Amino acid sequence: MSEASAMGRVLIVDGANVVGSVPDGWWRDRRGAAERLRDRLAARGGDEEIILVVEGAARGVESVPGVRVAPAPGSGDDLIVELAAAHADRGCVVVTADRELRERVRAYGVGCVGPRTVRPDR
């Protein structure tokens, strides 16, 4: 069994959607908002693999221990669907409020939860 398959579920976070779920001025510093979300995710701990998908101005955000940052070369939603399909056999969950994206990943048997799951300070 590989190290990746020995880990718990995979949590894929729609960075733009989660950051945008709270009107805290994130639009003035998209990269900084994505970094704050990444750090909040890293503090969660646990045995889940966390993948934070970023796009646009947040593409330069670096990975940290506990959170792999995946910059989308184009559509963040398309990358999330690709990652969800690749990890569907590991109890994958996508964090987003985007209804269309939820439908797309559910086609692979992937679960979905809303932004409050990882950003309760709303």
Side-chain angles (χ1 to χ4, degrees):
M1 180 183 309
S2 73
E3 181 179 325
S5 64
M7 294 177 71
R9 74 178 178 166
V10 177
L11 189 68
I12 301 171
V13 180
D14 180 350
N17 187 268
V18 173
V19 164
S21 70
V22 178
D24 62 0
W26 60 265
W27 52 89
R28 290 187 293 267
D29 181 11
R30 293 170 192 255
R31 183 176 174 153
E35 288 172 339
R36 288 187 298 278
L37 174 59
R38 176 205 58 200
D39 295 346
R40 184 179 298 112
L41 292 168
R44 287 172 57 99
D47 67 347
E48 63 194 357
E49 178 182 356
I50 301 173
I51 304 171
L52 173 61
V53 175
V54 296
E55 58 189 310
R59 277 195 195 108
V61 173
E62 300 287 329
S63 296
V64 296
V67 178
R68 176 167 58 107
V69 177
S75 163
D77 289 1
D78 290 346
L79 179 56
I80 290 167
V81 171
E82 180 182 316
L83 291 167
H87 296 291
D89 63 336
R90 289 188 45 208
C92 184
V93 174
V94 171
V95 181
T96 188
D98 182 319
R99 289 185 183 130
E100 182 181 329
L101 178 56
R102 285 175 173 238
E103 291 303 315
R104 290 177 66 191
V105 300
R106 283 185 179 135
Y108 296 97
V110 170
C112 297
V113 295
R116 289 184 186 186
T117 305
V118 297
R119 191 163 181 170
D121 58 336
R122 182 170 185 168

